[in-house]
Amino acid sequence: MLNEQDFLMAQGRSPVFLMHEIQEAVDITTLSKLYSHLPGLITSLLEHGAKAQHLNRIITAVADAILERIMEMSLEETGPPPVPFAFMLLGSEGRKEQTLKTDQDNAIIFQDVPEDRLEETQAYFLDLAGLVCSRLNEVGYVFCEFDIMAQNPKWCQPFSQWTQNFQTWIRAAEPENLLQASIFFDFRLGYGQKSLIQDLHSFLQRTLGGWIGFFRHLAENALHFKPPLDFFGNFALQSKKEKKNTLDIKSPMRLIVDFARLYALKHKIDPTNTFDRLQSMAEKGILDREDADELIHAYAVLMHTRISHQAKCISEQGIAPNNDVNPKQLTHIEQQMLKEAFKRIRM
């Protein structure tokens, strides 16, 4: 027999119930408490065999719902925006590949205004962004250590300035600069005017045509990351004291992310999600179906291992989630799957 407590706990582990509660939240304290339920929800889904793509979707849906509620609260304070705008999500947020360890990567794009109105218009959106970013941080989405956030004036700009930014990155950036800027090429709408995002996507696709150097730089940057395997196919573990005998699961994943981004931009593939990009590449004949399936499987193995590790950090060890996996804490089958995924990336 189920009692009332069992029923309430089961509801708390339901994505639908959590989303409903987020939409009804009246303050940041409530949102923060609801966000703290996410690791338990993910742990429950892992125990029931959920796939990596499903876990990503749940984590992203929760983040999007929290952002929407925070935007609504913040707009009530600042009043209506002076012009249409879009709150952009970048990096893993833009790819809908958030995990339990994530920081903020966002920006604001607003409709162009006459020069004499630019300062006051930007000031409004910086005030709004300050509220939103601070509240996201309070809930649990910590500030970006590189300050790639909408509250930074550099990343709170009118449409015309964003087109200039992308032109600079495409036409003039050196590989090392593009390594930092690549986070902006995975943007999507978080809140606001969808047409601004669509127009920016269209501008990006038009501008990329013919700039071979840009794609060469992207390819060079992908080589910064290598699978943690030694010559004999064994795990190459980290040696730093606090990370000794672990491997960084995030870095090798960037190889697949960068590969999918490169070909998506080159062939005008709209999705930003890595799984979707690889699937689209196979459907369009850009990538062999077998190769695409192997990369999708490898990425799923890495993502599942990463999220599972982070969930255990929280639920079993009581520490902040990280990306440093100790292979000895994996089963033999999990170790072999991880090695095979690394080998597929290395080929």
Side-chain angles (χ1 to χ4, degrees), residues 109-112 157-163 196 199-200 203:
I109 176 174
F110 56 88
Q111 190 178 80
D112 284 321
Q157 295 287 345
F159 182 87
S160 57
Q161 182 58 54
W162 278 106
T163 60
L196 286 168
D199 289 346
L200 192 57
F203 171 83

Side-chain angles (χ1 to χ4, degrees), residues 288-302:
D288 181 80
R289 177 80 262 179
E290 184 178 349
D291 290 337
D293 287 343
E294 288 188 7
L295 281 174
I296 289 171
H297 178 69
Y299 197 62
V301 168
L302 298 177

Side-chain angles (χ1 to χ4, degrees), residues 38-55:
L38 182 60
L41 169 61
I42 295 302
T43 298
S44 179
L45 292 170
L46 283 164
E47 290 171 350
H48 287 83
K51 295 182 178 180
Q53 296 97 315
H54 182 57
L55 298 172

Side-chain angles (χ1 to χ4, degrees), residues 90-91 95 103 105 144-149 154-155 162 165-166 169 173-186 214 217-218 221-222 224-225 254 258 261:
L90 313 168
R95 295 192 305 274
D103 60 0
D105 294 307
C144 172
E145 63 175 312
F146 302 110
D147 204 22
I148 302 176
M149 293 179 291
K154 188 176 181 181
W155 310 126
W162 278 106
N165 289 343
F166 278 102
W169 293 325
E174 294 299 316
E176 58 271 19
N177 301 126
L178 196 55
L179 188 62
Q180 298 299 322
S182 61
I183 190 175
F184 292 93
F185 289 89
D186 295 332
F214 169 79
H217 291 337
L218 278 186
N221 284 336
H224 282 81
F225 307 105
R254 289 175 177 167
D258 289 349
R261 180 192 299 116

Side-chain angles (χ1 to χ4, degrees), residues 290-315:
E290 184 178 349
D291 290 337
D293 287 343
E294 288 188 7
L295 281 174
I296 289 171
H297 178 69
Y299 197 62
V301 168
L302 298 177
M303 183 65 77
H304 193 278
T305 302
R306 184 181 179 191
I307 295 175
S308 178
H309 168 73
Q310 292 176 1
K312 289 177 181 177
C313 285
I314 298 169
S315 62

Side-chain angles (χ1 to χ4, degrees), residues 77-189:
E77 291 189 34
T78 61
V83 293
F85 78 101
F87 193 87
M88 295 195 295
L89 301 176
L90 313 168
S92 62
E93 295 176 85
R95 295 192 305 274
K96 300 183 180 180
E97 294 171 18
Q98 288 172 275
T99 65
L100 296 176
K101 174 181 170 56
T102 186
D103 60 0
Q104 293 184 47
D105 294 307
N106 49 55
I108 281 181
I109 176 174
F110 56 88
Q111 190 178 80
D112 284 321
V113 295
E115 187 66 31
D116 61 352
R117 289 183 54 202
L118 179 56
E119 185 176 349
E120 64 174 315
T121 303
Q122 186 185 41
Y124 168 88
F125 286 114
L126 284 172
D127 287 343
L128 174 63
L131 286 173
V132 172
C133 292
S134 294
R135 287 168 171 171
L136 285 170
N137 180 70
E138 189 176 343
V139 167
Y141 299 98
V142 299
F143 288 133
C144 172
E145 63 175 312
F146 302 110
D147 204 22
I148 302 176
M149 293 179 291
Q151 66 182 14
N152 181 344
K154 188 176 181 181
W155 310 126
C156 180
Q157 295 287 345
F159 182 87
S160 57
Q161 182 58 54
W162 278 106
T163 60
Q164 290 181 36
N165 289 343
F166 278 102
Q167 281 184 323
T168 300
W169 293 325
I170 292 168
R171 300 180 179 181
E174 294 299 316
E176 58 271 19
N177 301 126
L178 196 55
L179 188 62
Q180 298 299 322
S182 61
I183 190 175
F184 292 93
F185 289 89
D186 295 332
F187 65 89
R188 69 176 175 93
L189 178 68

